[in-house]
Amino acid sequence: MAYSGTGNEKAVLASDLNRGHIGHTISFEPDEFTVVFGRISAIARKEGGVTIALDGVVGTGGFQANYSLPPTQNVYVQPDMLTNTESTIKDLFGKVQDNLRGHKGDTSSEQ
């Protein structure tokens, strides 16, 4: 396989994962035969690699709960919906403010 994520996922190097990524849904290809989808519960950096623990996997169908990845391995992170929503609201609020500023000098009155 040559997995490269889906359209809305962002590629992040395993070495760039940090505590801010805990709780995010990710996907990655730990070997040439497997694509893993899961939610990060822990990240451990060690010499020569990064270990990712997945949330809610232990005891489910023989799935691995931990994966050791090389630092250069791409991990595909789903966008954080709350951050995306906040961004959208801020953008819309900014546009409304700009629109109101544009009409501030409008002195025409209806009679």
Side-chain angles (χ1 to χ4, degrees):
M1 276 187 228
Y3 183 72
S4 60
T6 61
N8 65 337
E9 292 177 317
K10 179 183 172 191
V12 175
L13 291 175
S15 62
D16 291 340
L17 291 172
N18 59 48
R19 69 181 68 183
H21 291 102
I22 293 175
H24 283 260
T25 300
I26 61 167
S27 58
F28 60 95
E29 190 174 21
D31 59 51
E32 62 186 78
F33 306 108
T34 310
V35 175
V36 174
F37 301 90
R39 187 179 2 221
I40 298 175
S41 65
I43 301 165
R45 292 188 188 152
K46 51 189 178 176
E47 191 174 322
V50 176
T51 298
I52 299 172
L54 300 177
D55 189 29
V57 176
V58 176
T60 55
F63 291 116
Q64 275 184 241
N66 301 308
Y67 289 88
S68 291
L69 303 174
T72 57
Q73 167 89 33
N74 274 334
V75 175
Y76 300 92
V77 180
Q78 286 281 333
D80 176 8
M81 298 313 268
L82 181 58
T83 301
N84 284 348
T85 302
E86 287 173 359
S87 240
T88 301
I89 290 170
K90 285 178 185 176
D91 290 346
L92 290 173
F93 186 69
K95 288 178 184 178
V96 168
Q97 280 184 317
D98 290 344
N99 199 9
L100 290 173
R101 284 186 195 117
H103 293 292
K104 189 176 183 182
D106 188 4
T107 58
S108 63
S109 59
E110 295 180 26
Q111 295 183 5

